[in-house]
């Protein structure tokens, strides 16, 4: 059986999903709009040559492994790992809690020393990456890094002596649990289990070292038994539970999404295992409320082992080859969840006429970067949709005409900051981003692609709904398809020009926004609402263009993104016990969620209205999935009302005000009547529409 992941992505129940297209974007965009990123795939020494011809991911949890020196941490949950030149370092992080953040403290709990080896990523799938340490041309050690694994595993492919060291002092080694197993007690209070597949004996070497009594071959597995932040009631029972799973080595997984019943999606992770038995994994808080327990094929909680600490809540151990859970999909479409009254329609006809008339006739006056342009063209099409719903055909057509005139230069490459296909990382990036890695919010190095292109796709979906003939023009359809393929390609084995769903993480249940930038805290995402908007737009576009299987998949991803946003970014919404009290007591949101940290901050300032507001825009019908009456009613008097009152600009004040529509529409209309300027992605008619149609 293979030790490594297989570069497969969808489980059998998802293989029938069609591709958006298989057309080569280079042929569609033309040679003048094809370029090679300055950060090269072909010259990347941490990627195996077999991967370089493929569409390599840019925003995945293991991205640090192939950036810069390749030595910054990746988070497998519950562990953190660093792949160094001569060692693999494993950490069971401990918390550092402050009123502004919850961080994971790195310490070298264990180093597996691998002198004279060079490491490369050789395979990956949505929940695992395989790193091989090569001695010359031969694989010396294979590291399957699998999300949620209770063990960290190093498979020794060539016989050699195992050498381990820790930054702590070894107090005691218990060898009473059988051949090849050692329970090691460290002076920081942690206890670890170390297992050798070939039953090799272990002995202490100095104050902080362990080594095998001879050469070993096969899997070496390390697992935290207990620590001060991850205690157990019965240490012996915890060790025995871990030992039951020692021979079941997870090496990867297939993910799947399928319709189970009307308005219900079934998510699956089928773990690939080397060896026998059920793998012992750890589930995050959003898994714990919905994983299906079963006797056949076997999936059950194992509470005798530690509930391990992580920066996003305690993890719970579960044994099983397959994880299954349902996402109940709430209704969502182009229109808001509550029908408009005649009175509201009358008011909206007045507002939308003014908004449509104010649209700039000169596209050159619009923002020239993809993010702010995307917001502008999506805003125009929101005006068009509202006008259509209230029967103002003149305003609708004016907004559509403007959106078409604005959008088409971006699609055909005649705008200033034109889009190009990056032949290195297989994606669409702005020319400014290609020339300057920091331009356009790092878009040229794949930051925020789902945010940026989500606005484009929303505008395109509305165009298809209101003016179907526009997308029937082949050049328009192909150009829009390229943008949605960039961040939502479900079929990388068929559509080889883009990676699998660029930003979404199937294990964490939400997206990551940063691209080819390394950070010690690993991946991050700021704006949950813009991530939700991107998958909402994808769902709408797939629906109106008749790709119903893709629409189902996008709808499921949208619902999961919304739910995990409420779990990890919204304090006290779906759970009140994830973050420590010192952090949680004075706020209601996380500003930036990292792989290993929760930050009360934004990338563009620390004003509270920024930190809250960036989680609430843009206001579309999809916001009903995110903003729930009970949560907003709870946090309005404690936080949001004050944040709104103290906002330095009207546009941010309005964004905060609009949350209250899910609690009290009359009060929200009153608050918003004093607003005279709006966010660049919003309008007076859209704000009124949101309040009137909020659930």
């Amino acid at each position: 059986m293979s030790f490594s992941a297989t570069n497969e992505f969808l489980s059998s129940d998802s293989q029938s999903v069609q591709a958006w297209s298989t057309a080569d974007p280079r042929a569609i965009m033309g040679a003048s709009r094809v370029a090679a990123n300055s950060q090269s795939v072909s010259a990347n020494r941490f990627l195996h040559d077999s991967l370089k011809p493929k569409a390599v991911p840019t925003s995945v949890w293991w991205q640090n492994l192939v950036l810069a020196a390749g030595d910054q941490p990746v988070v497998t949950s519950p562990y953190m790992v660093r792949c160094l030149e001569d060692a693999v370092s494993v950490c069971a992080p401990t918390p550092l809690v402050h009123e502004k953040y919850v961080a994971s403290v790195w310490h070298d709990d264990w180093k597996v020393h691998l002198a004279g080896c060079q490491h490369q990523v050789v395979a990956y799938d949505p929940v695992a990456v395989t790193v091989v340490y090569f001695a010359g041309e031969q694989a010396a050690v294979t590291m399957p890094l699998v999300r949620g694994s209770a063990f960290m595993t190093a498979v020794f492919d060539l016989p050699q002596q195992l050498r381990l060291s820790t930054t702590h002092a070894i107090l005691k080694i218990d060898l009473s649990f059988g051949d090849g197993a050692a329970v090691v007690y460290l002076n920081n209070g942690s206890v670890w289990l170390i297992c050798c597949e070939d039953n090799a004996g272990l002995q202490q070497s100095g104050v902080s070292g362990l080594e095998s009594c001879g050469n070993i071959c096969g899997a070496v597995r390390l697992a935290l038994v207990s620590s001060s932040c991850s205690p157990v009631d019965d240490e012996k029972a915890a060790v025995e539970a871990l030992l039951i799973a020692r021979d079941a080595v997870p090496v990867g997984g297939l993910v799947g999404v399928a319709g189970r019943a009307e308005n219900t999606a079934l998510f699956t992770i089928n773990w690939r295992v080397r060896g026998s038995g059920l793998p012992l994994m750890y589930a995050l808080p959003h898994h714990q409320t919905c994983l299906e327990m079963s006797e056949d094929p076997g999936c059950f909680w194992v509470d005798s082992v530690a509930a391990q600490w992580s920066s996003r809540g305690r993890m719970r151990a579960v044994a099983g080859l397959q994880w299954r859970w349902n996402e109940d999909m709430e209704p969502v479409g182009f229109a808001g969840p509550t029908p408009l009254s005649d009175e509201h329609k009358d008011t909206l006809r007045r507002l939308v006429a003014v908004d449509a008339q104010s649209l700039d006739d000169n596209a050159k006056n619009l923002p020239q970067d993809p993010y702010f342009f995307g917001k502008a063209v999506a805003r125009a099409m929101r005006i068009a949709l509202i006008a259509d719903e209230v029967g103002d055909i003149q305003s609708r057509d004016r907004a559509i005409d403007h959106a078409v005139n604005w959008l088409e230069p971006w699609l055909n490459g005649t705008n200033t900051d034109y889009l190009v296909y990056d032949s290195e990382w297989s994606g669409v990036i702005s020319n400014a981003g290609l020339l300057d890695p920091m331009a356009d919010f790092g878009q040229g190095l794949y930051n925020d692609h789902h945010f940026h292109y989500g606005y484009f796709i929303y505008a395109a979906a509305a165009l298809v709904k209101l003016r179907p003939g526009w997308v029937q023009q082949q050049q328009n359809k192909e150009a829009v398809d390229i943008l949605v393929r960039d961040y939502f390609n479900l079929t990388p084995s068929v559509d080889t020009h883009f990676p699998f769903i660029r930003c979404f993480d199937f294990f964490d249940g939400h997206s990551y926004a940063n691209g080819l930038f390394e950070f010690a805290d690993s991946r991050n995402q700021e704006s949950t609402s813009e991530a939700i908007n991107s998958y909402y737009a994808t769902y709408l576009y797939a629906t109106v263009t008749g790709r119903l299987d893709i629409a189902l998949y996008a709808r499921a991803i949208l619902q999961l993104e919304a739910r995990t946003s409420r779990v990890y970014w919204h304090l006290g919404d779906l759970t009140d016990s994830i973050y420590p009290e010192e952090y949680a007591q004075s706020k209601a949101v996380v500003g930036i969620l990292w792989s290993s940290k929760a930050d009360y901050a934004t990338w563009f300032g620390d004003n509270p209205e920024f930190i809250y507001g960036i989680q609430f825009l843009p206001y579309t019908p999809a916001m009903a999935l995110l903003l729930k009456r009970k949560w907003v009613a709870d946090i309005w008097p404690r936080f949001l009302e004050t944040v709104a009152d103290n906002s330095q600009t009207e546009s941010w004040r309005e964004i905060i005000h609009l949350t209250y529509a899910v609690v009290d529409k009359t009060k929200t209309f009153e608050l918003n009547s004093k607003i005279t300027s709006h966010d660049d992605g919003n309008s007076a008619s859209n704000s009124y529409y949101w309040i009137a149609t909020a659930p």
Side-chain angles (χ1 to χ4, degrees):
M1 186 176 295
S2 172
F3 286 81
S4 62
T6 63
N7 299 326
E8 296 182 43
F9 300 92
L10 300 175
S11 62
S12 58
D13 54 2
S14 304
Q15 290 294 340
S16 60
V17 175
Q18 65 179 311
W20 293 100
S21 169
T22 59
D24 189 337
R26 291 165 290 198
I28 295 170
M29 300 174 77
S32 64
R33 295 173 63 201
V34 177
N37 203 301
S38 59
Q39 191 162 146
S40 171
V41 169
S42 53
N44 191 302
R45 65 191 178 99
F46 298 113
L47 279 168
H48 193 266
D49 286 344
S50 64
L51 298 181
K52 292 178 180 179
K54 303 177 186 294
V56 179
T58 59
S59 305
V60 289
W61 64 273
W62 51 266
Q63 204 74 49
N64 274 351
L65 295 174
V66 297
L67 300 178
D71 60 355
Q72 289 301 304
V74 298
V75 181
T76 64
S77 297
Y79 303 110
M80 299 170 66
V81 181
R82 295 179 65 200
C83 290
L84 310 174
E85 287 296 330
D86 59 352
V88 175
S89 187
V90 178
C91 168
T94 50
L96 177 62
V97 181
H98 184 272
E99 64 177 357
K100 296 284 189 181
Y101 56 79
V102 179
S104 301
V105 177
W106 174 274
H107 26 76
D108 292 316
D109 288 322
W110 290 103
K111 277 187 176 180
V112 182
H113 293 275
L114 303 167
C117 293
Q118 298 292 323
H119 64 278
Q120 289 185 321
V121 170
V122 301
Y124 54 85
D125 62 41
V127 291
V129 64
T130 304
V131 179
V132 170
Y133 277 76
F134 288 94
E137 297 296 319
Q138 288 187 291
V141 175
T142 300
M143 298 281 302
L145 304 180
V146 183
R147 304 303 307 279
S149 177
F151 291 84
M152 291 306 305
T153 304
V155 179
F156 283 73
D157 303 301
L158 295 178
Q160 58 187 291
Q161 186 179 37
L162 171 66
R163 294 190 302 114
L164 300 171
S165 68
T166 172
T167 193
H168 316 293
I170 297 173
L171 300 180
K172 183 177 69 170
I173 302 175
D174 183 351
L175 301 176
S176 66
F177 287 91
D179 292 341
V183 177
V184 183
Y185 296 78
L186 305 179
N187 71 339
N188 70 333
S190 65
V191 181
W192 289 77
L193 173 65
I194 301 174
C195 301
C196 296
E197 185 177 35
D198 64 357
N199 293 331
L202 295 174
Q203 60 190 11
Q204 188 167 346
S205 175
V207 175
S208 301
L210 279 178
E211 61 186 23
S212 59
C213 298
N215 287 347
I216 66 167
C217 197
V220 175
R221 312 198 70 195
L222 296 84
L224 180 72
V225 178
S226 68
S227 69
S228 58
C229 62
S230 301
V232 293
D233 294 328
D234 186 333
E235 184 182 291
K236 183 174 183 290
V239 171
E240 290 173 344
L242 288 165
L243 285 170
I244 290 172
R246 66 179 286 185
D247 294 328
V249 181
V251 295
L254 293 177
V255 300
V257 177
R260 195 172 207 181
E262 186 177 1
N263 298 322
T264 302
L266 172 66
F267 280 77
T268 56
I269 302 177
N270 291 289
W271 300 106
R272 294 180 178 274
V273 173
R274 168 190 179 272
S276 60
L278 300 179
L280 188 63
M281 313 299 289
Y282 270 98
L284 286 164
H286 78 277
H287 298 128
Q288 294 170 29
T289 58
C290 59
L291 274 184
E292 295 181 359
M293 300 293 105
S294 65
E295 294 183 5
D296 185 17
C299 187
F300 51 89
W301 300 113
V302 183
D303 291 325
S304 54
V305 302
Q308 287 215 37
W309 181 87
S310 80
S311 61
R312 58 184 61 201
R314 291 205 172 271
M315 302 187 72
R316 188 179 182 189
V318 57
L321 285 167
Q322 184 185 72
W323 286 12
R324 297 161 59 92
W325 74 92
N326 289 329
E327 293 294 332
D328 295 326
M329 297 190 290
E330 303 167 56
V332 67
F334 283 103
T338 302
L340 291 168
S341 67
D342 290 342
E343 179 184 355
H344 289 150
K345 287 181 180 180
D346 288 341
T347 302
L348 278 168
R349 276 188 280 269
R350 293 194 297 272
L351 293 174
V352 82
V354 174
D355 284 339
Q357 194 60 40
S358 70
L359 294 172
D360 201 312
D361 294 329
N362 188 350
K364 293 182 179 179
N365 294 331
L366 295 173
Q368 298 302 303
D369 69 282
Y371 176 66
F372 287 110
F373 172 80
K375 291 181 71 174
V377 73
R379 173 183 181 271
M381 287 310 301
R382 282 293 303 145
I383 292 169
L385 285 165
I386 295 167
D388 182 70
E389 190 169 341
V390 299
D392 183 350
I393 304 307
Q394 182 177 356
S395 294
R396 179 199 69 186
D397 289 347
R398 175 177 169 81
I400 292 173
D401 290 342
H402 278 71
V404 168
N405 290 335
W406 297 351
L407 184 59
E408 286 186 350
W410 281 84
L411 299 181
N412 62 35
T414 58
N415 63 307
T416 302
D417 188 11
Y418 56 90
L419 301 175
V420 301
Y421 181 76
D422 174 14
S423 58
E424 288 288 330
W425 290 95
S426 303
V428 177
I429 60 177
S430 68
N431 188 59
L434 175 72
L435 300 176
D436 176 3
M438 302 310 295
D440 297 345
F441 302 98
Q443 214 255 15
L445 290 183
Y446 293 89
N447 280 1
D448 302 346
H449 273 217
H450 58 326
F451 297 166
H452 295 192
Y453 297 142
Y455 285 112
F456 283 71
I457 299 305
Y458 179 82
L463 271 171
V464 177
K465 173 179 169 59
L466 299 178
R467 189 171 289 178
W470 178 83
V471 81
Q472 291 170 7
Q473 300 175 50
Q474 184 177 2
Q475 70 272 21
N476 291 334
K477 182 176 182 294
E478 288 179 337
V480 174
D481 282 354
I482 284 173
L483 298 184
V484 74
R485 289 161 66 191
D486 176 85
Y487 72 88
F488 202 80
N489 179 19
L490 296 177
T491 56
S493 61
V494 177
D495 180 5
T496 59
H497 306 292
F498 299 95
F500 183 63
I501 314 182
R502 188 178 299 279
C503 302
F504 188 75
D505 188 299
F506 266 86
F507 187 80
D508 289 339
H510 62 77
S511 300
Y512 286 113
N514 67 305
L516 303 177
F517 293 89
E518 60 165 354
F519 293 100
D521 297 315
S522 200
R523 305 287 90 193
N524 70 76
Q525 178 164 266
E526 182 180 65
S527 179
T528 57
S529 49
E530 288 179 301
I532 287 167
N533 181 65
S534 74
Y535 302 124
Y536 170 55
T538 305
Y539 165 67
L540 295 177
Y541 181 67
T543 300
V544 294
T545 57
R547 283 96 155 218
L548 300 185
D549 53 346
I550 300 178
L552 169 64
Y553 211 110
R555 183 67 192 82
I557 296 295
L558 166 62
Q559 190 70 55
L560 180 54
E561 183 93 31
R563 184 168 69 87
T564 54
S565 297
R566 295 176 61 202
V567 171
Y568 299 116
W569 276 264
H570 289 190
L571 279 64
D573 188 347
L574 288 178
T575 177
D576 58 3
S577 58
I578 285 181
Y579 299 111
E581 182 65 19
E582 183 178 351
Y583 174 80
Q585 63 184 350
S586 60
K587 61 189 67 65
V589 295
V590 170
I592 304 173
L593 187 69
W594 299 75
S595 302
S596 60
K597 184 182 183 182
D599 249 337
Y600 185 68
T602 74
W603 289 105
F604 55 93
D606 60 1
N607 291 17
E609 66 266 30
F610 300 164
I611 299 171
Y612 282 86
I614 199 63
Q615 305 302 333
F616 304 146
L617 60 84
Y619 278 95
T620 69
M623 284 302 293
L625 306 178
L626 187 64
L627 293 175
K628 300 300 182 181
R629 182 188 307 271
K630 181 180 178 182
W631 182 65
V632 176
D634 175 55
I635 67 172
W636 178 264
R638 296 195 296 129
F639 303 111
L640 288 182
E641 188 171 23
T642 300
V643 170
D645 290 344
N646 293 337
S647 295
Q648 295 181 10
T649 64
E650 274 196 328
S651 58
W652 284 104
R653 183 175 300 116
E654 179 184 45
I655 290 168
I656 306 302
H657 282 166
L658 292 176
T659 64
Y660 203 58
V662 300
V663 178
D664 187 334
K665 293 176 190 258
T666 302
K667 176 67 173 177
T668 310
F669 276 129
E670 178 187 339
L671 291 169
N672 223 51
S673 66
K674 303 168 187 175
I675 297 295
T676 59
S677 62
H678 310 279
D679 177 70
D680 47 14
N682 200 21
S683 64
S685 57
N686 188 56
S687 291
Y688 190 97
Y689 183 92
W690 162 254
I691 299 170
T693 63

